[in-house]
Amino acid sequence: MHSAITISLVPEARGGPFVFWGDLAAGCQQAASFGFDAVEIFLRSAAELDAGRIKRSLEQHHLKLAAMGTGAGWLVHKLRLTDPDPALRRRAREFIASIIDLAGGFGAPAIIGSMQGRWGEDVSRDQALGWLTEAFEELAPRAQTHGVPLLFEPLNRYETNLINNVEDSLVFLEGLRAQNIRLLCDLFHMNIEETSIADALRRAGARLDHVHFADSNRQAVGLGHTDTAPLVEALRDINYTGYLSAEILPLPDSDTAAEQTITSFRKWFSKS
Ligand code: LER
Ligand code: MN
């Protein structure tokens, strides 16, 4: 298993669950100084980030890119894959495709979480799922050209009414032709939505490809009330070898959140 920590380059996301803010080079330097293996980047758009700059920051600090988030597509640009307007749905797919290409150049996947949107008003759940299916069938082959999966993240009920848990995610993914869509399980969302987080991780099984490593209160693991031991056991049982990425609030401050995360990571996943 590998450790990762989040860097947000999106001013509009202030107050959101990201540890380092605003400066890619400084974030990478910090991540490396705490001993993380990788960074996960939350960006405004692919056009606003230069691949050469990412490469230099990663190489200088011997870091990998764990993943890139696409949520700014919704947060900043008000795009979602299930918008009733076909032109906006197309722009949402293009926004994600450009992030797939940018991340894919580093061997990393893009994450689709908030961009799933929601159903309601004039859009039925079936219709929204139909549009989400079309989007995934188009975007997954794009990820495949880079040899990476596309990550799907179920979110808690306060962020979407479409897909909130592992079981519904698996039903959705199993209905798709595309085979390279993998699950991102965010322990914060799971704490709200799953009956048992450990059972849900086991159910995700081989489909699991990324974990957002957070405690019950979305702080660093160890600062909330999640019982971590059964989750670690479940991850071991399914032979999970991917990233545990701290998508958490920078509380009480970024450095303490990073330090607490790497301490927890080493406590639970040390090789000895
Ligand atoms: C949002 O709550 C979240 O967990 C992100 O990872 C979704 O893109
Ligand atoms: Mn998440």
Side-chain angles (χ1 to χ4, degrees):
M1 287 181 235
H2 306 281
S3 60
I5 192 152
T6 45
I7 303 174
S8 170
L9 305 175
V10 183
E12 295 89 338
R14 270 281 164 208
F18 306 100
V19 179
F20 298 123
W21 285 85
D23 184 332
L24 181 63
C28 286
Q29 196 263 321
Q30 292 279 79
S33 75
F34 283 103
F36 285 90
D37 300 315
V39 292
E40 178 176 323
I41 301 176
F42 191 66
L43 61 164
R44 269 188 115 250
S45 70
E48 287 173 68
L49 202 49
D50 172 49
R53 262 186 57 214
I54 304 174
K55 186 166 186 285
R56 280 192 297 281
S57 289
L58 294 175
E59 282 180 359
Q60 186 182 351
H61 299 292
H62 309 288
L63 290 164
K64 297 255 187 283
L65 180 64
M68 277 185 178
T70 65
W74 167 242
L75 186 77
V76 178
H77 309 282
K78 296 298 167 222
L79 298 171
R80 46 198 180 140
L81 296 170
T82 50
D83 196 288
D85 180 338
L88 291 178
R89 288 202 301 280
R90 183 171 45 74
R91 280 183 49 206
R93 294 196 299 272
E94 287 167 358
F95 179 88
I96 293 172
S98 61
I99 295 182
I100 290 173
D101 290 344
L102 182 62
F106 295 91
I111 300 165
I112 297 181
S114 316
M115 289 292 278
Q116 70 189 272
R118 53 194 302 120
W119 64 275
E121 294 173 28
D122 292 339
V123 177
S124 68
R125 184 166 193 269
D126 279 354
Q127 176 65 85
L129 288 175
W131 287 329
L132 199 60
T133 299
E134 280 172 25
F136 273 101
E137 298 291 18
E138 181 180 308
L139 294 169
R142 183 95 169 214
Q144 190 63 52
T145 64
H146 299 283
V148 296
L150 187 55
L151 296 179
F152 177 69
E153 177 177 13
L155 304 177
N156 76 67
R157 66 192 65 187
Y158 305 107
E159 297 188 30
T160 183
N161 57 8
L162 204 49
I163 299 181
N164 301 124
N165 58 38
V166 165
E167 189 59 39
D168 288 355
S169 302
L170 291 174
V171 169
F172 173 66
L173 295 183
E174 277 154 20
L176 299 182
R177 279 193 310 278
Q179 293 297 304
N180 63 323
I181 305 165
R182 313 288 296 278
L183 264 187
L184 190 170
C185 282
D186 182 324
L187 301 180
F188 166 73
H189 296 304
M190 296 178 91
N191 177 60
I192 297 171
E193 296 298 339
E194 305 290 353
T195 308
S196 155
I197 302 178
D199 288 353
L201 291 170
R202 285 197 179 83
R203 179 80 179 93
R207 277 272 191 183
L208 182 64
D209 203 50
H210 198 90
V211 171
H212 278 160
F213 191 50
D215 215 314
S216 54
N217 50 4
R218 217 170 205 182
Q219 288 185 231
V221 169
L223 298 183
H225 61 69
T226 295
D227 183 8
T228 306
L231 314 188
V232 175
E233 200 181 312
L235 291 173
R236 289 201 195 290
D237 286 351
I238 62 170
N239 296 316
Y240 180 70
T241 56
Y243 283 106
L244 291 130
S245 183
E247 189 191 63
I248 53 171
L249 299 164
L251 294 175
D253 55 69
S254 297
D255 284 0
T256 311
E259 180 69 48
Q260 174 64 38
T261 294
I262 202 71
T263 300
S264 288
F265 178 81
R266 288 180 179 142
K267 170 180 166 186
W268 292 109
F269 302 107
S270 67
K271 293 192 174 65
S272 58

